[in-house]
Amino acid sequence: MKKMKRQRLLAAVVLLLFCGASWGLTVYGHQQEVSGLEALRKNADENYEKKIYDEALTAYKACLRADPEDQTVMERVAEIYHLTGQDNNCIAWCERVLRLDSGALGTRLLEARSYDNKKKISSAIRVLERAGESDGTPEQQAEREELLRDLKGRY
């Protein structure tokens, strides 16, 4: 009887140590992942500022694998595609951002410009008309109105 109690106690202690070690490794691993993600994001931002877009794009996409809902990174990816003339990719990424935040007026402006580059003026107008009255900053709202007037004048 005493032997069974000792075995149970020993099994409980071993199980407790195993659980504690697993939890500790999980927390440590998460901390390493977060610090690695921060370094990756910093590297991506530096490459973006230096206009090394291919490396920045690779790093931003790696950040999105770790955090697929990071809207700021998605917006930056869309912007890089726009800056490099890859309008189809820009539009696709803009749509991803707008699914998360339909009030992202900066993203709408980017998407409309990409449609304009592709000579799809009616699509660009439609994108801008979907914006809400309170979306974006006052500067973005003024930019939207000006771009909308220009597009409608050419349509």
Side-chain angles (χ1 to χ4, degrees), residues 47-101:
N47 284 326
Y48 174 80
E49 294 299 322
K50 294 176 185 174
K51 297 183 178 150
I52 307 172
Y53 295 130
D54 56 337
E55 290 181 24
L57 192 59
T58 301
Y60 282 130
K61 285 186 175 182
C63 290
L64 285 171
R65 282 192 292 279
D67 184 6
E69 301 293 313
D70 189 333
Q71 182 178 334
T72 305
V73 171
M74 280 190 229
E75 289 171 341
R76 186 58 59 92
V77 169
E79 185 178 357
I80 289 172
Y81 279 130
H82 179 74
L83 291 170
T84 58
Q86 299 177 56
D87 292 311
N88 288 335
N89 288 333
C90 176
I91 291 166
W93 280 92
C94 286
E95 288 173 359
R96 284 181 70 176
V97 171
L98 292 169
R99 278 194 296 270
L100 291 176
D101 178 10

